[in-house]
Amino acid sequence: MSLNSKIPNGEISDKWDDYKGHVKLVNPANKRKLEVIVVGTGLAGASAAAALGEMGYKVKAFCFQDSPRRAHSIAAQGGINAAKNYQNDGDSVFRLFYDTVKGGDYRAREANVHRLAEVSSAIIDQCVAQGVPFAREYGGLLSNRSFGGTQVQRTFYAAGQTGQQLLLGAYSALERQVALGNVEMYSRHEMLDVVMIDDKARGIIARDLITGKLERHFGHAILLCSGGYGNVFYLSTNAMGSNVTAAWKAHKKGAFFGNPCFTQIHPTCIPVSGDYQSKLTLMSESLRNDGRIWVPKKKDDNRKATEIPEDERDYYLERRYPAFGNLVPRDVASRAAKERCDEGYGVGTTKLAVYLDFADAIKRYGRIEAGKTGRADLDEASIIALGKAVVEEKYGNLFEMYEKITGENPYVVPMRIYPAVHYVMGGLWVDYELQTTVKGLYALGEANFSDHGANRLGASALMQGLADGYFVIPYTLGNYLADEIRTANIPLDHPAFVATEKEVNDRINHLMNIKGTQSVESFHKRLGKIMWDKCGMARNENGLKEAIEEIRELKKEFWSNVRIPGSVSGINPELDKAGRVADFIELGELMCMDALQRRESCGGHFREESQTEEGEAKRDDENYSYVSAWEYKGESDWVLNKEELTFEIVKPTQRSYK
């Protein structure tokens, strides 16, 4: 099938304006007749549901949590990018566009990224109007800080809880629409399949997680805003409930899956401490603004960090990448940390960690504070106390979180960090309008593949989620729905609804009747280990081939020996989890197939066979400058479609942050 990305003609800076000027519209009276289903109520879903409700559409929003406030978007800590150039340091829409394409290692679609950069400034205005408490400078202006992969300060933030504050803004807008009757909220509901009628998505089957009952819901269009699938690795920074089920069901109904193997490894996470762990904790990338990353120069150095003198420390990012230092992109910082640990320079009990040290920053801020009040003669202890107060104001909740988890005071001893799975750039393939290959089915935010290429720059996830929900889908969805105004609501006893519900019901009963001996969790853990070892930070041909076979064996064992206690009716979290893990197992196989066919290194996809002499990722633009869009044909059977990427503005070069 040939993929039509529907990119408008014309200059890149005019495409979005031109599109908006010629797009089909739905008049207000007709909007009231059209029903839109939104699955997921994180940043992308809440903003889309609020925006569409405000426009007059009848919206049904679904989330599997008890409240949209629990969406995993709250876990984003460090900030949201926007090209406002408040710092007067050379930022612009073009610069944000350029940094994003380059940061993604030239594997993103230029037109989508430019649109993202264009609408970024409007997101900040929208959120300020909602009362989001962004950090401000002394004079009251919004503050900015730096993030990886850039040489400007463009990241807006609210201490170390930016995602939570942005979600509360979107949530308040959503709840307003709920109160007005424009949005109907279905909490504790999980979407388990898409209903297809005449090759269009026309509804969903959802399960009420409290009663266990299956429900049928009709929609003229369906928006999947269900987040990413990092939990395929079991250990990740994602919330325990984050899963791939909604996107995977859509994939099996005809939506192509784009770049499934592109995984974001975040360089600053609290290291794994034992086999009993079920998730990992992220320490915000914003800490790399002021923290310096280092390891001892001596292998297997067991001294405490504070006992290692300055000249025996290797600030390896500053040494290898002088132009960007500690602010190189995530994939570069992650691989550099892995390389140091693999070579024997790691720290901590497991030796799989590096130091993130704030001592210099605390002293620097302390001297600035002392200078402000003309107290240049202060002793070092007083300067450190002043500096600590500044760091506490900027990053306090992150430092508290670290101390709670590790029992160590990061103001006194350096944090220990190590890379972990965080975000996925892969997702459902969408065109310029965010529509999947299934008509009437859209994917927003992390659920789609669109804007980040092979590596996402920090503070761009919140930007994309809100851009898609507030500023893109209100235009592009209307273009589709303008042709649907004569489509009456399809009755829920239509044969397609009946048949799809039966499929879902049969699968649930099949799972419950296996009555094996192994817990769902044990299968998830085993899948995660295969994925991390063989399709994680580094991949090679043999490992990927082994992984595919191991996952197929695991799938057979799962469907013959999984044990799910409880019953189908009522609350049964183990049953919910079983369905999600079954989908993760199938996804894991496709991820390894995607990684195997992409015989190049790019961004977070590091093929050991394809690296420079200095150990950097080595792309193969001649053969792999495309998006892999996988079409599901049957069990363990996919066909690869390619969307060729053309770069008219940002010419691909070997990335250098030196």
Coordinates of all heavy atoms in Angstrom, one line a residue, residues 284-356:
S284 N 14.8 14.4 36.5 CA 14.6 15.2 35.3 C 15.9 15.6 34.6 O 16.9 15.8 35.2 CB 13.9 16.5 35.8 OG 14.0 17.5 34.8
E285 N 15.7 15.7 33.3 CA 16.9 16.2 32.5 C 17.3 17.6 32.8 O 18.4 18.0 32.6 CB 16.5 16.1 31.0 CG 17.7 16.5 30.1 CD 17.4 16.2 28.6 OE1 16.9 15.1 28.3 OE2 17.6 17.1 27.8
S286 N 16.4 18.3 33.4 CA 16.7 19.7 33.8 C 17.9 19.7 34.8 O 18.6 20.7 34.8 CB 15.5 20.4 34.5 OG 15.1 19.7 35.6
L287 N 18.1 18.6 35.5 CA 19.3 18.6 36.4 C 20.6 18.7 35.7 O 21.6 19.0 36.2 CB 19.2 17.2 37.2 CG 18.0 17.1 38.1 CD1 18.0 15.7 38.7 CD2 18.0 18.1 39.3
R288 N 20.6 18.3 34.3 CA 21.8 18.5 33.6 C 22.1 19.9 33.3 O 23.2 20.2 32.7 CB 21.7 17.6 32.3 CG 21.7 16.1 32.5 CD 22.1 15.4 31.2 NE 21.1 15.1 30.3 CZ 21.2 15.1 29.0 NH1 22.4 15.3 28.4 NH2 20.2 14.8 28.2
N289 N 21.2 20.9 33.5 CA 21.5 22.3 33.4 C 22.7 22.6 34.3 O 23.6 23.4 34.0 CB 20.3 23.1 33.9 CG 19.5 23.5 32.7 OD1 19.8 24.5 32.0 ND2 18.4 22.8 32.5
D290 N 22.6 22.2 35.6 CA 23.5 22.6 36.6 C 24.4 21.4 37.2 O 25.4 21.7 37.7 CB 22.7 23.2 37.8 CG 22.2 24.6 37.4 OD1 23.0 25.4 36.9 OD2 21.0 24.9 37.6
G291 N 23.9 20.2 37.0 CA 24.7 19.1 37.5 C 25.7 18.7 36.5 O 25.5 18.8 35.3
R292 N 26.9 18.2 37.0 CA 28.0 17.8 36.1 C 28.1 16.3 36.3 O 28.1 15.7 37.4 CB 29.3 18.5 36.5 CG 29.3 20.0 36.3 CD 30.6 20.6 36.8 NE 31.7 20.3 35.8 CZ 33.0 20.4 36.1 NH1 33.3 20.9 37.3 NH2 33.9 20.2 35.2
I293 N 28.2 15.6 35.2 CA 28.2 14.1 35.2 C 29.7 13.6 35.1 O 30.5 14.1 34.3 CB 27.4 13.6 34.0 CG1 25.9 13.9 34.2 CG2 27.6 12.1 33.8 CD1 25.0 13.7 33.0
W294 N 30.0 12.7 36.0 CA 31.4 12.2 36.0 C 31.5 10.8 36.5 O 30.6 10.3 37.1 CB 32.3 13.2 36.8 CG 32.0 13.3 38.3 CD1 31.1 14.1 38.8 CD2 32.6 12.6 39.4 NE1 31.1 14.0 40.2 CE2 32.0 13.1 40.6 CE3 33.6 11.6 39.5 CZ2 32.4 12.6 41.8 CZ3 34.0 11.2 40.7 CH2 33.4 11.7 41.9
V295 N 32.7 10.2 36.3 CA 33.0 8.9 36.9 C 34.5 9.0 37.3 O 35.2 9.9 36.9 CB 32.9 7.7 35.9 CG1 31.5 7.4 35.5 CG2 33.7 8.0 34.6
P296 N 34.9 8.1 38.2 CA 36.4 8.2 38.6 C 37.3 7.8 37.4 O 36.8 7.1 36.5 CB 36.5 7.1 39.6 CG 35.1 6.8 40.1 CD 34.2 7.1 38.9
K297 N 38.5 8.4 37.4 CA 39.4 8.1 36.3 C 40.0 6.7 36.4 O 40.5 6.1 35.5 CB 40.5 9.1 36.2 CG 40.1 10.5 35.7 CD 41.2 11.5 35.6 CE 40.7 12.8 34.9 NZ 41.8 13.8 35.0
K298 N 39.9 6.2 37.7 CA 40.5 4.8 37.9 C 39.4 3.8 37.9 O 38.3 4.0 38.4 CB 41.1 4.9 39.4 CG 42.1 3.8 39.6 CD 42.8 4.1 41.0 CE 42.0 3.7 42.1 NZ 42.6 3.9 43.5
K299 N 39.6 2.6 37.2 CA 38.6 1.6 37.2 C 38.4 1.0 38.6 O 39.3 1.0 39.4 CB 39.2 0.4 36.3 CG 39.1 0.8 34.8 CD 39.4 -0.5 34.0 CE 39.4 -0.1 32.5 NZ 39.5 -1.3 31.6
D300 N 37.1 0.5 38.8 CA 36.7 -0.1 40.0 C 37.1 0.7 41.2 O 37.6 0.1 42.2 CB 37.3 -1.6 40.1 CG 36.8 -2.4 38.9 OD1 35.6 -2.4 38.7 OD2 37.6 -3.1 38.3
D301 N 37.0 2.0 41.2 CA 37.3 2.8 42.3 C 36.2 2.8 43.3 O 35.1 3.2 43.1 CB 37.5 4.3 41.8 CG 38.2 5.2 42.8 OD1 38.0 4.9 44.0 OD2 38.8 6.1 42.4
N302 N 36.5 2.2 44.5 CA 35.5 2.0 45.5 C 35.4 3.1 46.6 O 34.7 3.0 47.6 CB 35.7 0.7 46.2 CG 35.4 -0.5 45.3 OD1 34.4 -0.4 44.5 ND2 36.2 -1.5 45.3
R303 N 36.2 4.2 46.4 CA 36.1 5.3 47.3 C 34.7 6.0 47.2 O 34.1 6.0 46.2 CB 37.2 6.3 47.0 CG 38.6 5.9 47.4 CD 39.6 6.9 47.0 NE 39.8 7.0 45.6 CZ 40.6 7.9 45.0 NH1 41.2 8.8 45.7 NH2 40.6 7.9 43.6
K304 N 34.3 6.7 48.3 CA 33.1 7.5 48.2 C 33.4 8.7 47.3 O 34.5 9.1 47.1 CB 32.8 8.1 49.6 CG 32.3 7.0 50.6 CD 32.0 7.7 51.9 CE 31.6 6.6 52.9 NZ 31.6 7.1 54.3
A305 N 32.3 9.2 46.7 CA 32.4 10.3 45.7 C 33.1 11.5 46.3 O 34.0 12.1 45.6 CB 31.1 10.7 45.2
T306 N 32.8 11.8 47.5 CA 33.4 13.0 48.2 C 34.9 12.8 48.5 O 35.6 13.8 48.8 CB 32.6 13.3 49.5 OG1 32.5 12.1 50.2 CG2 31.2 13.9 49.1
E307 N 35.4 11.6 48.4 CA 36.8 11.3 48.7 C 37.6 11.4 47.5 O 38.9 11.3 47.6 CB 36.9 9.9 49.4 CG 36.3 9.9 50.8 CD 36.3 8.4 51.3 OE1 36.7 7.5 50.6 OE2 35.8 8.2 52.5
I308 N 37.0 11.5 46.3 CA 37.8 11.4 45.1 C 38.1 12.9 44.7 O 37.2 13.7 44.4 CB 37.0 10.7 43.9 CG1 36.7 9.3 44.3 CG2 37.7 10.8 42.6 CD1 35.8 8.5 43.4
P309 N 39.4 13.2 44.6 CA 39.8 14.6 44.3 C 39.4 15.0 42.9 O 39.3 14.1 42.0 CB 41.3 14.7 44.6 CG 41.7 13.2 44.6 CD 40.6 12.4 44.9
E310 N 39.3 16.3 42.6 CA 38.9 16.8 41.4 C 39.8 16.3 40.2 O 39.2 15.9 39.2 CB 39.1 18.4 41.4 CG 38.4 19.1 40.2 CD 36.9 19.0 40.2 OE1 36.3 18.7 41.2 OE2 36.3 19.2 39.1
D311 N 41.1 16.2 40.4 CA 41.9 15.8 39.2 C 41.8 14.3 39.0 O 42.4 13.8 38.0 CB 43.4 16.2 39.5 CG 44.0 15.6 40.7 OD1 43.2 14.9 41.5 OD2 45.2 15.7 40.9
E312 N 41.1 13.5 39.8 CA 40.9 12.1 39.5 C 39.5 11.8 39.1 O 39.0 10.7 39.1 CB 41.2 11.3 40.8 CG 42.7 11.4 41.2 CD 43.0 10.5 42.5 OE1 42.4 9.4 42.6 OE2 43.8 11.0 43.3
R313 N 38.8 12.8 38.6 CA 37.4 12.7 38.1 C 37.4 12.9 36.6 O 38.0 13.8 36.1 CB 36.5 13.7 38.8 CG 36.4 13.6 40.3 CD 35.5 14.7 40.8 NE 35.3 14.5 42.3 CZ 34.4 15.2 43.0 NH1 33.6 16.1 42.4 NH2 34.4 15.0 44.3
D314 N 36.6 12.1 35.9 CA 36.5 12.2 34.5 C 35.1 12.7 34.1 O 34.1 12.0 34.2 CB 36.7 10.8 33.8 CG 36.5 10.9 32.3 OD1 36.5 12.0 31.7 OD2 36.3 9.8 31.7
Y315 N 35.0 14.0 33.8 CA 33.8 14.6 33.4 C 33.6 14.3 31.9 O 33.9 15.1 31.0 CB 33.8 16.1 33.6 CG 33.8 16.5 35.1 CD1 35.0 16.7 35.8 CD2 32.6 16.6 35.8 CE1 35.1 17.0 37.1 CE2 32.7 16.9 37.2 CZ 33.9 17.1 37.8 OH 33.9 17.4 39.2
Y316 N 33.2 13.1 31.6 CA 33.4 12.5 30.3 C 32.5 13.2 29.2 O 33.0 13.2 28.0 CB 33.2 11.0 30.3 CG 31.8 10.5 30.8 CD1 30.7 10.4 29.9 CD2 31.6 10.2 32.1 CE1 29.5 10.1 30.3 CE2 30.3 9.8 32.5 CZ 29.3 9.8 31.7 OH 28.0 9.4 32.1
L317 N 31.4 13.7 29.5 CA 30.6 14.4 28.5 C 31.2 15.7 28.1 O 31.3 16.1 26.9 CB 29.1 14.7 29.0 CG 28.2 13.4 29.1 CD1 26.9 13.8 29.7 CD2 28.1 12.7 27.8
E318 N 31.8 16.4 29.1 CA 32.5 17.7 28.8 C 33.7 17.4 28.0 O 34.1 18.2 27.2 CB 32.8 18.4 30.2 CG 31.5 18.8 30.9 CD 31.8 19.3 32.3 OE1 32.9 19.9 32.6 OE2 31.0 19.0 33.2
R319 N 34.4 16.3 28.3 CA 35.6 15.9 27.6 C 35.3 15.5 26.2 O 36.0 16.0 25.2 CB 36.3 14.7 28.3 CG 37.4 14.1 27.6 CD 38.1 13.0 28.4 NE 37.3 12.0 28.9 CZ 36.9 10.9 28.3 NH1 37.3 10.8 27.0 NH2 36.2 10.0 28.8
R320 N 34.2 14.7 25.9 CA 34.0 14.2 24.6 C 33.2 15.2 23.7 O 33.3 15.2 22.5 CB 33.2 12.9 24.7 CG 34.0 11.7 25.1 CD 33.2 10.4 25.2 NE 32.6 10.0 24.0 CZ 32.0 8.8 23.8 NH1 31.8 8.0 24.9 NH2 31.4 8.5 22.7
Y321 N 32.3 16.0 24.3 CA 31.5 16.9 23.6 C 31.6 18.3 24.1 O 30.6 18.8 24.7 CB 30.0 16.4 23.6 CG 29.8 14.9 23.3 CD1 29.7 14.0 24.3 CD2 29.9 14.5 22.0 CE1 29.5 12.6 24.1 CE2 29.7 13.1 21.7 CZ 29.6 12.2 22.7 OH 29.4 10.9 22.5
P322 N 32.7 19.0 23.9 CA 32.9 20.3 24.5 C 31.9 21.3 24.2 O 31.5 22.2 25.0 CB 34.3 20.7 24.0 CG 34.7 19.7 23.0 CD 33.9 18.5 23.1
A323 N 31.3 21.3 22.9 CA 30.4 22.4 22.6 C 29.1 22.3 23.3 O 28.5 23.3 23.7 CB 30.1 22.3 21.1
F324 N 28.6 21.0 23.6 CA 27.3 20.9 24.3 C 27.5 20.4 25.8 O 26.7 20.5 26.6 CB 26.4 19.9 23.6 CG 25.7 20.5 22.4 CD1 26.5 20.8 21.2 CD2 24.4 20.7 22.4 CE1 25.8 21.4 20.1 CE2 23.7 21.3 21.3 CZ 24.5 21.6 20.2
G325 N 28.7 19.7 26.1 CA 29.0 19.3 27.4 C 27.9 18.4 28.0 O 27.5 17.4 27.3
N326 N 27.4 18.7 29.2 CA 26.4 17.8 29.8 C 25.0 17.9 29.2 O 24.1 17.2 29.5 CB 26.3 18.2 31.3 CG 27.6 17.9 32.1 OD1 27.9 16.7 32.2 ND2 28.2 18.9 32.6
L327 N 24.9 18.8 28.2 CA 23.6 19.0 27.5 C 23.5 18.4 26.1 O 22.8 18.9 25.2 CB 23.2 20.5 27.5 CG 22.8 21.1 28.8 CD1 22.7 22.6 28.8 CD2 21.5 20.5 29.3
V328 N 24.2 17.3 25.9 CA 24.1 16.6 24.6 C 22.7 15.9 24.7 O 22.1 15.7 25.7 CB 25.2 15.5 24.4 CG1 26.5 16.1 24.2 CG2 25.3 14.6 25.6
P329 N 22.2 15.5 23.5 CA 20.9 14.8 23.5 C 20.9 13.5 24.3 O 21.9 12.9 24.6 CB 20.6 14.5 22.0 CG 21.5 15.4 21.3 CD 22.7 15.6 22.1
R330 N 19.7 13.0 24.6 CA 19.5 11.9 25.5 C 20.2 10.6 25.0 O 20.8 9.9 25.8 CB 18.0 11.6 25.7 CG 17.4 12.7 26.5 CD 15.9 12.5 26.6 NE 15.4 13.5 27.5 CZ 14.1 13.6 27.9 NH1 13.2 12.8 27.3 NH2 13.7 14.5 28.7
D331 N 20.1 10.3 23.7 CA 20.7 9.1 23.2 C 22.2 9.1 23.3 O 22.8 8.1 23.7 CB 20.2 8.8 21.7 CG 20.6 9.9 20.8 OD1 20.5 11.1 21.1 OD2 21.1 9.6 19.7
V332 N 22.8 10.3 23.1 CA 24.3 10.4 23.2 C 24.7 10.3 24.6 O 25.7 9.6 24.9 CB 24.7 11.8 22.6 CG1 26.2 12.0 22.7 CG2 24.3 11.9 21.1
A333 N 24.0 11.0 25.5 CA 24.4 10.9 27.0 C 24.2 9.5 27.5 O 25.0 9.0 28.3 CB 23.5 11.9 27.7
S334 N 23.2 8.8 27.0 CA 22.9 7.4 27.5 C 24.0 6.5 27.1 O 24.5 5.7 27.9 CB 21.5 7.0 27.0 OG 20.5 7.7 27.6
R335 N 24.3 6.5 25.8 CA 25.4 5.6 25.3 C 26.7 5.9 26.0 O 27.5 5.0 26.3 CB 25.5 5.7 23.8 CG 24.6 4.8 23.1 CD 25.0 4.5 21.6 NE 25.0 5.8 20.9 CZ 24.0 6.4 20.4 NH1 22.8 5.8 20.6 NH2 24.1 7.5 19.7
A336 N 27.0 7.2 26.2 CA 28.3 7.5 26.8 C 28.3 6.9 28.3 O 29.4 6.4 28.7 CB 28.5 9.0 26.9
A337 N 27.2 7.0 29.0 CA 27.2 6.4 30.4 C 27.4 4.9 30.3 O 28.1 4.3 31.1 CB 25.9 6.8 31.0
K338 N 26.7 4.3 29.4 CA 26.8 2.8 29.2 C 28.2 2.4 28.9 O 28.8 1.5 29.5 CB 25.9 2.3 28.1 CG 25.9 0.8 27.9 CD 24.9 0.3 26.8 CE 24.8 -1.2 26.8 NZ 26.0 -1.8 26.3
E339 N 28.9 3.2 28.0 CA 30.2 2.9 27.6 C 31.2 3.0 28.8 O 32.0 2.1 29.0 CB 30.7 3.9 26.5 CG 32.1 3.6 25.9 CD 33.2 4.4 26.7 OE1 32.9 5.4 27.3 OE2 34.3 3.9 26.7
R340 N 31.1 4.0 29.6 CA 31.9 4.2 30.8 C 31.7 3.0 31.8 O 32.7 2.4 32.3 CB 31.7 5.5 31.5 CG 32.1 6.7 30.8 CD 33.7 6.9 30.8 NE 34.3 6.1 29.7 CZ 35.6 5.8 29.6 NH1 36.4 6.3 30.5 NH2 36.1 5.1 28.7
C341 N 30.5 2.6 32.0 CA 30.2 1.5 32.9 C 30.7 0.2 32.4 O 31.3 -0.6 33.1 CB 28.7 1.5 33.3 SG 28.1 2.9 34.2
D342 N 30.5 0.0 31.1 CA 30.9 -1.3 30.5 C 32.5 -1.4 30.5 O 33.0 -2.5 30.6 CB 30.5 -1.3 29.0 CG 29.0 -1.6 28.8 OD1 28.3 -1.8 29.8 OD2 28.5 -1.4 27.7
E343 N 33.1 -0.2 30.5 CA 34.6 -0.3 30.6 C 35.1 -0.4 32.0 O 36.4 -0.4 32.2 CB 35.2 1.0 29.9 CG 35.0 1.1 28.4 CD 35.8 0.0 27.7 OE1 36.9 -0.2 28.0 OE2 35.2 -0.7 26.8
G344 N 34.2 -0.4 33.0 CA 34.7 -0.6 34.4 C 34.8 0.6 35.2 O 35.4 0.6 36.3
Y345 N 34.2 1.7 34.8 CA 34.4 3.0 35.5 C 33.1 3.3 36.3 O 32.9 4.4 36.8 CB 34.7 4.1 34.6 CG 36.1 4.0 33.9 CD1 36.2 3.4 32.7 CD2 37.2 4.3 34.6 CE1 37.4 3.3 32.1 CE2 38.5 4.2 34.0 CZ 38.6 3.6 32.7 OH 39.8 3.5 32.2
G346 N 32.1 2.4 36.3 CA 30.8 2.6 36.9 C 31.0 2.8 38.4 O 32.0 2.3 39.0
V347 N 30.0 3.3 39.1 CA 30.0 3.5 40.6 C 28.8 2.9 41.2 O 27.9 2.4 40.6 CB 30.0 5.1 40.9 CG1 31.3 5.7 40.2 CG2 28.8 5.8 40.4
G348 N 28.8 2.9 42.6 CA 27.7 2.3 43.3 C 27.9 0.8 43.5 O 28.9 0.2 42.9
T349 N 27.0 0.1 44.2 CA 27.2 -1.3 44.5 C 27.1 -2.1 43.2 O 27.8 -3.1 43.0 CB 26.1 -1.8 45.5 OG1 24.8 -1.3 45.0 CG2 26.3 -1.2 46.8
T350 N 26.2 -1.7 42.2 CA 26.1 -2.6 41.0 C 27.1 -2.2 40.0 O 27.3 -2.9 39.0 CB 24.7 -2.3 40.4 OG1 24.6 -1.0 40.0 CG2 23.6 -2.7 41.4
K351 N 27.8 -1.1 40.1 CA 28.7 -0.5 39.1 C 28.0 -0.1 37.8 O 28.7 0.1 36.8 CB 29.9 -1.5 38.8 CG 30.7 -1.8 40.0 CD 31.5 -0.6 40.6 CE 32.4 -0.9 41.7 NZ 32.9 0.3 42.4
L352 N 26.7 -0.1 37.9 CA 25.9 0.4 36.7 C 25.3 1.8 37.1 O 24.1 1.9 37.2 CB 24.8 -0.6 36.3 CG 25.3 -1.9 35.7 CD1 24.1 -2.8 35.4 CD2 26.0 -1.6 34.4
A353 N 26.2 2.7 37.3 CA 25.7 4.1 37.6 C 26.9 5.1 37.4 O 28.1 4.7 37.4 CB 25.3 4.2 39.1
V354 N 26.6 6.3 37.2 CA 27.5 7.4 37.1 C 27.1 8.5 38.0 O 25.9 8.5 38.5 CB 27.7 8.0 35.6 CG1 28.2 6.9 34.7 CG2 26.4 8.6 35.1
Y355 N 27.9 9.5 38.3 CA 27.6 10.5 39.3 C 27.0 11.7 38.5 O 27.5 12.1 37.4 CB 28.8 11.0 40.1 CG 29.3 10.0 41.1 CD1 30.6 9.6 41.1 CD2 28.4 9.5 42.1 CE1 31.0 8.7 42.1 CE2 28.8 8.6 43.0 CZ 30.1 8.2 43.0 OH 30.6 7.3 44.0
L356 N 26.0 12.4 39.2 CA 25.4 13.6 38.7 C 25.6 14.6 39.9 O 25.0 14.4 40.9 CB 24.0 13.5 38.3 CG 23.2 14.8 38.0 CD1 23.8 15.4 36.7 CD2 21.7 14.5 37.7

